[in-house]
Short mmCIF file of all heavy atoms in Angstrom, two decimals:
data_model
loop_
_atom_site.label_atom_id
_atom_site.label_comp_id
_atom_site.label_asym_id
_atom_site.label_seq_id
_atom_site.Cartn_x
_atom_site.Cartn_y
_atom_site.Cartn_z
N LEU A 1 24.23 -156.74 -71.39
CA LEU A 1 22.93 -156.38 -70.82
C LEU A 1 21.94 -157.53 -70.85
O LEU A 1 20.97 -157.54 -70.11
CB LEU A 1 22.33 -155.17 -71.56
CG LEU A 1 23.05 -153.86 -71.33
CD1 LEU A 1 22.39 -152.76 -72.17
CD2 LEU A 1 23.04 -153.47 -69.86
N ASP A 2 22.18 -158.51 -71.72
CA ASP A 2 21.32 -159.70 -71.81
C ASP A 2 19.85 -159.30 -71.92
O ASP A 2 19.01 -159.69 -71.12
CB ASP A 2 21.55 -160.61 -70.60
CG ASP A 2 20.96 -161.99 -70.80
OD1 ASP A 2 20.86 -162.43 -71.96
OD2 ASP A 2 20.60 -162.63 -69.80
N ILE A 3 19.55 -158.51 -72.95
CA ILE A 3 18.21 -157.98 -73.19
C ILE A 3 17.26 -159.10 -73.60
O ILE A 3 17.58 -159.93 -74.45
CB ILE A 3 18.24 -156.91 -74.30
CG1 ILE A 3 19.16 -155.75 -73.91
CG2 ILE A 3 16.84 -156.41 -74.63
CD1 ILE A 3 18.73 -154.94 -72.74
N ASP A 4 16.07 -159.12 -73.02
CA ASP A 4 15.02 -160.07 -73.40
C ASP A 4 14.35 -159.55 -74.66
O ASP A 4 13.47 -158.69 -74.61
CB ASP A 4 14.00 -160.21 -72.26
CG ASP A 4 12.90 -161.21 -72.58
OD1 ASP A 4 12.97 -161.87 -73.64
OD2 ASP A 4 11.97 -161.33 -71.76
N THR A 5 14.76 -160.06 -75.81
CA THR A 5 14.25 -159.56 -77.09
C THR A 5 12.82 -159.99 -77.38
O THR A 5 12.22 -159.50 -78.32
CB THR A 5 15.17 -160.01 -78.25
OG1 THR A 5 15.30 -161.43 -78.22
CG2 THR A 5 16.53 -159.36 -78.13
N GLU A 6 12.28 -160.87 -76.56
CA GLU A 6 10.88 -161.26 -76.75
C GLU A 6 9.93 -160.18 -76.21
O GLU A 6 8.77 -160.15 -76.57
CB GLU A 6 10.60 -162.60 -76.08
CG GLU A 6 11.29 -163.75 -76.80
CD GLU A 6 10.97 -165.09 -76.18
OE1 GLU A 6 10.01 -165.19 -75.39
OE2 GLU A 6 11.69 -166.05 -76.50
N ARG A 7 10.43 -159.32 -75.33
CA ARG A 7 9.60 -158.25 -74.77
C ARG A 7 9.45 -157.07 -75.72
O ARG A 7 8.51 -156.31 -75.61
CB ARG A 7 10.20 -157.74 -73.46
CG ARG A 7 10.05 -158.72 -72.34
CD ARG A 7 10.46 -158.17 -71.00
NE ARG A 7 11.01 -156.83 -71.01
CZ ARG A 7 11.86 -156.36 -70.12
NH1 ARG A 7 12.26 -157.12 -69.13
NH2 ARG A 7 12.31 -155.13 -70.18
N GLY A 8 10.39 -156.89 -76.62
CA GLY A 8 10.31 -155.75 -77.53
C GLY A 8 11.36 -155.82 -78.61
O GLY A 8 12.21 -156.71 -78.63
N SER A 9 11.30 -154.86 -79.51
CA SER A 9 12.25 -154.79 -80.63
C SER A 9 13.55 -154.15 -80.17
O SER A 9 13.57 -153.28 -79.30
CB SER A 9 11.66 -153.95 -81.76
OG SER A 9 10.46 -154.50 -82.21
N VAL A 10 14.64 -154.59 -80.80
CA VAL A 10 15.96 -154.05 -80.52
C VAL A 10 16.58 -153.62 -81.83
O VAL A 10 16.62 -154.39 -82.78
CB VAL A 10 16.86 -155.10 -79.82
CG1 VAL A 10 18.26 -154.54 -79.63
CG2 VAL A 10 16.27 -155.54 -78.51
N ALA A 11 17.07 -152.38 -81.88
CA ALA A 11 17.77 -151.88 -83.06
C ALA A 11 19.17 -151.46 -82.64
O ALA A 11 19.33 -150.68 -81.69
CB ALA A 11 17.03 -150.71 -83.69
N LEU A 12 20.18 -151.97 -83.33
CA LEU A 12 21.56 -151.59 -83.09
C LEU A 12 22.04 -150.85 -84.33
O LEU A 12 22.01 -151.39 -85.43
CB LEU A 12 22.44 -152.82 -82.83
CG LEU A 12 23.95 -152.60 -82.81
CD1 LEU A 12 24.35 -151.60 -81.73
CD2 LEU A 12 24.67 -153.92 -82.62
N ILE A 13 22.42 -149.61 -84.14
CA ILE A 13 22.92 -148.78 -85.24
C ILE A 13 24.39 -148.52 -84.95
O ILE A 13 24.72 -147.94 -83.91
CB ILE A 13 22.13 -147.47 -85.33
CG1 ILE A 13 20.63 -147.78 -85.38
CG2 ILE A 13 22.55 -146.67 -86.55
CD1 ILE A 13 19.78 -146.76 -84.72
N MET A 14 25.25 -148.95 -85.85
CA MET A 14 26.68 -148.87 -85.59
C MET A 14 27.37 -147.86 -86.50
O MET A 14 26.97 -147.66 -87.63
CB MET A 14 27.32 -150.25 -85.77
CG MET A 14 26.77 -151.30 -84.81
SD MET A 14 27.52 -152.92 -85.02
CE MET A 14 29.12 -152.62 -84.29
N ASN A 15 28.39 -147.23 -85.94
CA ASN A 15 29.25 -146.29 -86.67
C ASN A 15 28.49 -145.14 -87.30
O ASN A 15 28.72 -144.77 -88.45
CB ASN A 15 30.09 -147.03 -87.71
CG ASN A 15 31.06 -147.98 -87.09
OD1 ASN A 15 31.73 -147.64 -86.12
ND2 ASN A 15 31.13 -149.19 -87.61
N VAL A 16 27.59 -144.56 -86.52
CA VAL A 16 26.82 -143.40 -86.95
C VAL A 16 27.69 -142.15 -86.78
O VAL A 16 28.43 -142.03 -85.80
CB VAL A 16 25.54 -143.26 -86.09
CG1 VAL A 16 24.75 -142.03 -86.46
CG2 VAL A 16 24.69 -144.50 -86.23
N SER A 17 27.60 -141.23 -87.72
CA SER A 17 28.34 -139.98 -87.59
C SER A 17 27.86 -139.19 -86.38
O SER A 17 26.67 -139.13 -86.10
CB SER A 17 28.17 -139.12 -88.85
OG SER A 17 28.77 -139.75 -89.94
N SER A 18 28.81 -138.60 -85.67
CA SER A 18 28.49 -137.82 -84.48
C SER A 18 29.37 -136.57 -84.47
O SER A 18 30.59 -136.68 -84.61
CB SER A 18 28.75 -138.65 -83.23
OG SER A 18 28.74 -137.85 -82.07
N ASN A 19 28.76 -135.41 -84.30
CA ASN A 19 29.54 -134.17 -84.22
C ASN A 19 30.45 -134.17 -83.00
O ASN A 19 31.56 -133.66 -83.05
CB ASN A 19 28.60 -132.95 -84.16
CG ASN A 19 27.84 -132.76 -85.44
OD1 ASN A 19 28.30 -133.14 -86.51
ND2 ASN A 19 26.68 -132.16 -85.34
N LYS A 20 29.98 -134.76 -81.92
CA LYS A 20 30.71 -134.74 -80.65
C LYS A 20 31.81 -135.79 -80.59
O LYS A 20 32.89 -135.56 -80.06
CB LYS A 20 29.71 -134.98 -79.52
CG LYS A 20 30.13 -134.54 -78.17
CD LYS A 20 28.97 -134.77 -77.21
CE LYS A 20 29.12 -133.99 -75.95
NZ LYS A 20 28.04 -134.23 -75.01
N HIS A 21 31.53 -137.01 -81.10
CA HIS A 21 32.45 -138.14 -80.94
C HIS A 21 33.05 -138.65 -82.24
O HIS A 21 33.81 -139.62 -82.22
CB HIS A 21 31.72 -139.30 -80.25
CG HIS A 21 31.13 -138.93 -78.93
ND1 HIS A 21 31.89 -138.72 -77.81
CD2 HIS A 21 29.85 -138.71 -78.55
CE1 HIS A 21 31.11 -138.39 -76.80
NE2 HIS A 21 29.87 -138.37 -77.22
N GLY A 22 32.72 -138.08 -83.37
CA GLY A 22 33.19 -138.58 -84.66
C GLY A 22 32.30 -139.71 -85.15
O GLY A 22 31.54 -139.56 -86.09
N LYS A 23 32.35 -140.84 -84.47
CA LYS A 23 31.48 -142.00 -84.75
C LYS A 23 30.95 -142.52 -83.43
O LYS A 23 31.59 -142.39 -82.39
CB LYS A 23 32.26 -143.13 -85.44
CG LYS A 23 32.79 -142.79 -86.81
CD LYS A 23 31.76 -143.12 -87.84
CE LYS A 23 32.34 -142.91 -89.24
NZ LYS A 23 31.34 -143.03 -90.24
N LYS A 24 29.76 -143.13 -83.47
CA LYS A 24 29.16 -143.69 -82.26
C LYS A 24 28.21 -144.81 -82.63
O LYS A 24 27.85 -144.97 -83.79
CB LYS A 24 28.39 -142.61 -81.48
CG LYS A 24 27.16 -142.09 -82.22
CD LYS A 24 26.43 -141.05 -81.41
CE LYS A 24 25.20 -140.53 -82.16
NZ LYS A 24 24.46 -139.54 -81.39
N ASP A 25 27.82 -145.60 -81.63
CA ASP A 25 26.78 -146.61 -81.78
C ASP A 25 25.56 -146.16 -81.00
O ASP A 25 25.68 -145.42 -80.01
CB ASP A 25 27.24 -147.97 -81.23
CG ASP A 25 28.28 -148.66 -82.11
OD1 ASP A 25 28.66 -148.08 -83.15
OD2 ASP A 25 28.69 -149.77 -81.75
#
């Protein structure tokens, strides 16, 4: 996606528990 991180904050949350998918980002 080549996000311009100077325009705003970016948070990446990895391997979160998900009822639907087991794990997700």
Side-chain angles (χ1 to χ4, degrees):
L1 291 177
D2 194 28
I3 301 294
D4 181 5
T5 55
E6 291 182 16
R7 288 188 356 206
S9 301
V10 176
L12 170 59
I13 308 147
M14 299 180 74
N15 295 315
V16 177
S17 294
S18 167
N19 292 333
K20 201 176 198 182
H21 303 287
K23 296 271 185 188
K24 66 179 180 179
D25 287 1

